[in-house]
Amino acid sequence: MAFDFKKEYRDLYLPKTKPALIDVPAMTFVAVAGSGNPNEENGAYADALGLLYGFSFTVKMAKMGDWQPEGYFDYTVPPLEGLWWGGGFDGVRIADKDVLNWVSMIRQPDFVTPEVFAWAAEQVAAKKPGLDVSRARLVRFAEGPCAQVMHVGPYDDEPATIEAMEAFIAASGHMDDIADPADGDALLAALDADGAVPAVRLHHEIYLGDPRRTKPENLKTVIRHPVRPA
């Protein structure tokens, strides 16, 4: 049976609808930075998703080829994740989605080394020449101390869930530890922290449902904020 990160790490991917504190360990991601409205049809965000899934499924399907990475095991591709800032975003509300900044990313098994990433980039470039593989980067970092909660419902209804989490953070003697990076490329460099907690941490979302196939009221999104003692 394929390894399922969501089931094996339930504390990371399946939190309760009541906020809680968590210490998030080091993980490896393929990541793409960009800006703009994520809802724009055929926009930068859509291109980033195509690139992320292209990489992720190329690595997963290495089991079907003549070569597999050292330590390869069969697994289910983990869910899409996103770090967000800009656009008047204050951790709760967004003033203008058109000027949002984001890093979209998908977790990779630890056997995905820089060498495996380079191999996958060559495969994706050959199979999908329309994708700019140079936009993708392999990063490994830990988020460290965070508060998180499961939001159930449409993305636009997240503010109420985040406000409840912010109240929990304050009541637990903590405060948000969210910074505003200069740009996406600088953030990607910071995230490649060799498993350490980077200097810049952000509002983080993990998307457990596919909005193309799931009713808005049934969507599940993990919302995570980095915290520090108040």
Side-chain angles (χ1 to χ4, degrees), residues 8-180:
E8 297 297 330
Y9 300 102
R10 298 180 67 87
D11 57 332
L12 298 175
Y13 297 102
L14 297 171
K16 305 295 185 183
T17 54
K18 180 179 179 180
L21 297 174
I22 185 171
D23 195 348
V24 183
M27 289 176 270
T28 299
F29 297 89
V30 59
V32 177
S35 61
N37 192 328
N39 298 322
E40 179 185 355
E41 188 174 355
N42 300 319
Y45 187 77
D47 288 346
L49 299 197
L51 186 53
L52 291 175
Y53 282 111
F55 268 94
S56 298
F57 280 99
T58 293
V59 175
K60 171 182 168 57
M61 299 311 295
K63 65 181 180 179
M64 304 298 291
D66 297 330
W67 176 84
Q68 291 83 40
E70 182 177 355
Y72 178 91
F73 58 87
D74 192 20
Y75 62 97
T76 300
V77 171
L80 176 70
E81 308 190 29
L83 306 175
W84 299 88
W85 75 100
F89 179 52
D90 62 1
V92 178
R93 293 179 176 83
I94 299 169
D96 186 355
K97 290 182 180 180
D98 289 337
V99 291
L100 273 173
N101 299 301
W102 38 264
V103 168
S104 293
M105 54 193 191
I106 295 178
R107 184 178 182 177
Q108 303 297 305
D110 287 343
F111 66 73
V112 180
T113 62
E115 292 74 23
V116 174
F117 177 78
W119 167 83
E122 292 180 356
Q123 301 296 310
V124 173
K127 295 177 182 177
K128 298 185 177 182
L131 294 176
D132 181 4
V133 297
S134 67
R135 294 183 61 201
R137 181 160 179 169
L138 191 70
V139 299
R140 182 171 176 80
F141 66 97
E143 282 187 279
C146 294
Q148 68 178 16
V149 66
M150 180 71 81
H151 170 73
V152 180
Y155 300 134
D156 287 343
D157 289 352
E158 288 182 6
T161 300
I162 297 173
E163 287 178 343
M165 185 172 69
E166 290 296 304
F168 165 80
I169 290 171
S172 67
H174 292 79
M175 60 187 297
D176 281 337
D177 189 22
I178 296 176
D180 194 355

